[in-house]
Amino acid sequence: MAAAEIFLPVSDYDLAATLDSGQVFRWRQNGEYWHGVLGRHCLTLTQTDGGIHARAAARVSDWQFLKEFLQADVVLADILKTFPDDEPMRAAVAACRGLRLLRQEPWECLASFILSSTKQIVQIRQIVSLLCERFGERLAPHLNFSNGIGYSFPTPEKIASTDEAQLRACKMGFRAPSLLNAARQIAEGKLDLEKIRALDYAAARAELMTLRGVGGKIADCVLLFGYGFDTAFPVDVWIERALQELYFPKRRASEQRLRKFADTHFGPHAGYAQQYLFHYMRMRLK
DNA sequence: GTCCAGGACCTAG
DNA sequence: CTAGGTCATGGA
C-alpha cells in the first residue's frame, strides 16, 4: 500500500546535527521540521522519541531510498567503538553523539562538493539552491517551498546543456568550468559514477581525481558521503586545524605528516571519526 | 577595509 | 616536498 508517511525506528541518531553538519546543502530547518528533497521526493522529516518520522508531498511506494539516505540500519555504537581511545575523540563523541554519516546520490554529492572549494557552508547552500531553482525540475508545485527546496537536483545532462556564463550566474565563480566539465564527462559516458562502486578505495579516488577541480579532499568527500567508503578521510582547513591543535599541540606538523597520521590513526571508520572532529570543531567556535 | 571559507592547480625553489 | 600566487564571491 503506497503511503505518504512513514516512521523509522532509530536510536542514537541526532537528525538536526546530521543534516546541519556540512554533508548536505539543501535541507532547511523550520522549528522541529526539516524540509528537503531526495531524488524526486519532497520530504519533511521530524525526530521523535524512538525514531524519525517522514512525510512526503506525494505517495511513496517504496521507502528504501530514505532508509538508504539516513543509513537507518547502521548501529552507531558499533562504529564508535572502533574509534581510537584518545582524549580528542572522546571529547568529540561526547560533544555530538548521534551524529551520523548520510548516504547521498553520488552525482549530487560530487557536484555539490565541486562547488564547495574555499566557500563557507552557508554560501555553498546558496549556490546549490540557485543551481536547483534554475536548472532542476520543480516538484510539487502546490507546495510553497523556497531556497531551492522543491526542485530536483539538475542532471548531468541538464548541466552539460548549459554554458559557463549561466553557471557563473549562480555565483559559483571559478568553479563553473569544473562543474561544466564534470557534467559533460558524465553525460558523454566518459565517466561512470555507478562503476565507481565496484572499485577499491584507491582506484575510486584516482578515478574521481581525473576530473578538473577534484583533488584529494573533494574526492574523499564524495567517496565518504556518496559511496560509503568509510576509510576516506577528507582533510579541509577545519580538520587540518583539528589535527594540529588536538594531536600535535607542541610543534607544527606538516601537511604530509598530518595526512599520514590521519591515514593510520583512526581505524576502519576513519571517515566517521573525521565527521565527529569536523562537527566538534565547528560547534566549539559557535 | 581585512581576513577567510569543507581546494585545486601551477610554478619556483 | 614546501611555499606562494591565482581563481570568485560574500560572510564575519
Side-chain angles (χ1 to χ4, degrees), chain A residues 182-200:
Chain A
R184 285 177 176 163
Q185 295 296 308
I186 293 165
E188 294 168 8
K190 293 174 181 169
L191 178 67
D192 185 349
L193 290 180
E194 284 307 310
K195 208 179 65 183
I196 287 180
R197 295 185 193 281
L199 303 179
D200 63 29

Side-chain angles (χ1 to χ4, degrees), chain A residues 16-271:
Chain A
T18 299
L19 292 177
D20 192 32
S21 65
Q23 303 178 59
V24 287
F25 303 102
R26 51 195 202 115
W27 285 86
R28 305 285 181 268
Q29 184 172 24
N30 182 5
E32 62 183 316
Y33 299 103
W34 286 88
H35 302 290
V37 173
L38 293 178
R40 303 184 63 82
H41 301 286
C42 290
L43 301 171
T44 300
L45 306 181
T46 55
Q47 181 150 34
T48 60
D49 286 339
I52 294 170
H53 181 267
R55 191 175 69 244
R59 290 195 173 277
V60 174
S61 58
D62 184 354
W63 286 94
Q64 181 54 36
F65 73 94
L66 181 61
K67 297 175 187 172
E68 172 79 5
F69 174 71
L70 293 172
Q71 293 287 285
D73 295 332
V74 169
V75 178
L76 185 61
D78 290 344
I79 308 275
L80 298 183
K81 69 188 180 190
T82 70
F83 287 1
D85 184 22
D86 58 32
E87 184 49 37
M89 284 313 305
R90 278 195 294 271
V93 170
C96 36
R97 171 132 198 168
L99 177 64
R100 301 289 195 119
L101 287 183
L102 299 164
R103 182 69 55 82
Q104 303 175 43
E105 195 284 310
W107 163 241
E108 176 169 348
C109 189
L110 172 62
S112 298
F113 277 94
I114 285 175
L115 301 177
S116 76
S117 74
T118 49
K119 275 296 181 192
Q120 297 181 143
I121 290 173
V122 57
Q123 290 182 311
I124 302 169
R125 288 196 192 109
Q126 184 191 7
I127 296 168
V128 172
S129 292
L130 283 172
L131 190 68
C132 292
E133 287 170 11
R134 295 185 184 180
F135 304 113
E137 288 182 49
R138 187 176 177 112
L139 310 165
H142 58 289
L143 292 180
N144 189 21
F145 287 153
S146 59
N147 293 331
I149 305 303
Y151 296 82
S152 65
F153 194 87
T155 63
E157 291 74 17
K158 180 64 179 178
I159 303 261
S161 75
T162 67
D163 58 42
E164 187 177 322
Q166 292 181 71
L167 294 178
R168 280 183 182 265
C170 297
K171 305 181 186 294
M172 64 183 73
F174 62 83
R175 304 155 195 84
S178 297
L179 179 63
L180 186 56
N181 173 257
R184 285 177 176 163
Q185 295 296 308
I186 293 165
E188 294 168 8
K190 293 174 181 169
L191 178 67
D192 185 349
L193 290 180
E194 284 307 310
K195 208 179 65 183
I196 287 180
R197 295 185 193 281
L199 303 179
D200 63 29
Y201 168 67
R205 192 170 193 256
E207 185 72 8
L208 288 174
M209 287 177 68
T210 62
L211 293 170
R212 175 155 61 115
V214 179
K217 189 270 171 182
I218 290 176
D220 279 337
C221 284
V222 177
L223 293 172
L224 184 62
F225 303 144
Y227 291 97
F229 284 90
D230 272 14
T231 56
F233 192 98
V235 178
D236 73 328
V237 291
W238 288 92
I239 290 298
E240 194 172 332
R241 206 172 295 154
L243 295 178
Q244 178 68 59
E245 290 179 11
L246 300 175
Y247 289 99
F248 301 90
K250 299 291 185 184
R251 56 185 174 78
R252 186 191 171 288
S254 72
E255 202 171 312
Q256 285 299 324
R257 180 76 188 86
L258 293 177
R259 178 76 239 179
K260 191 172 178 183
F261 174 76
D263 285 340
T264 55
H265 182 67
F266 293 99
H269 300 287

